[in-house]
Amino acid sequence: MADRTFAIAGVILASGMSQRMGTAKQFLPYKGMPLLEHAIRKLLPLPFAQIFAVVGKQHQARLAEIPIDDPRFRWVLNERNHEGQSAALQCAAECGKDCAGIMVFLADQPLLLPDTIRRVYDTAVEQLAK
């Protein structure tokens, strides 16, 4: 990435094993699509330099259920997802290393408002400009 001054990556943590839930909650349907897809689609309209969804190896077979056609987006496999959310955060930090910062989201928050995401994004860019 040539100019990373204001480049921010959007990273969605979705590698959880859903042990308490008993099923992969990031793939549970909500309003016609998986929760994870809602989270991804909330980020696409924003000017993130890159968008990543960090998933666990147990989810690889299900990724085709979520078609995303945006050159900024990619799936990232968290090989250490059995270690918990801290491993996912480390994976997220590695994903965004070419950017000036990252914004971290969770796959199971479909009600997060686009305006809220935009305000936090804009505040981050303002802070980078100082």
Side-chain angles (χ1 to χ4, degrees):
M1 180 171 300
D3 180 14
R4 59 170 269 171
T5 307
F6 303 111
I8 298 175
V11 182
I12 302 161
L13 304 183
S15 63
M17 298 177 65
S18 302
Q19 291 175 319
R20 291 184 310 258
M21 187 74 141
T23 187
K25 70 178 166 182
Q26 51 277 66
F27 290 95
L28 289 176
Y30 176 73
K31 294 190 177 185
M33 70 177 81
L35 288 172
L36 176 54
E37 186 171 353
H38 280 280
I40 295 166
R41 295 200 178 280
K42 297 251 177 158
L43 303 187
L44 296 176
L46 292 158
F48 287 106
Q50 301 172 46
I51 300 170
F52 304 100
V54 178
V55 296
K57 52 189 165 204
Q58 76 276 21
H59 303 129
Q60 284 181 294
R62 301 198 63 186
L63 301 184
E65 295 174 26
I66 302 176
I68 303 296
D69 185 24
D70 188 305
R72 300 170 301 152
F73 177 79
R74 77 179 166 116
W75 299 104
V76 175
L77 185 61
N78 177 9
E79 296 278 352
R80 298 175 28 235
N81 67 311
H82 60 280
E83 294 177 22
Q85 197 170 53
S86 63
L89 282 168
Q90 289 173 345
C91 195
E94 181 64 25
C95 292
K97 70 181 179 190
D98 293 332
C99 291
I102 62 172
M103 285 179 63
V104 178
F105 302 88
L106 301 178
D108 60 354
Q109 295 180 318
L111 301 179
L112 191 57
L113 298 174
D115 184 57
T116 302
I117 300 169
R118 172 54 102 168
R119 287 183 9 231
V120 174
Y121 178 92
D122 289 345
T123 300
V125 169
E126 286 172 21
Q127 292 300 310
L128 288 170
K130 289 183 177 182

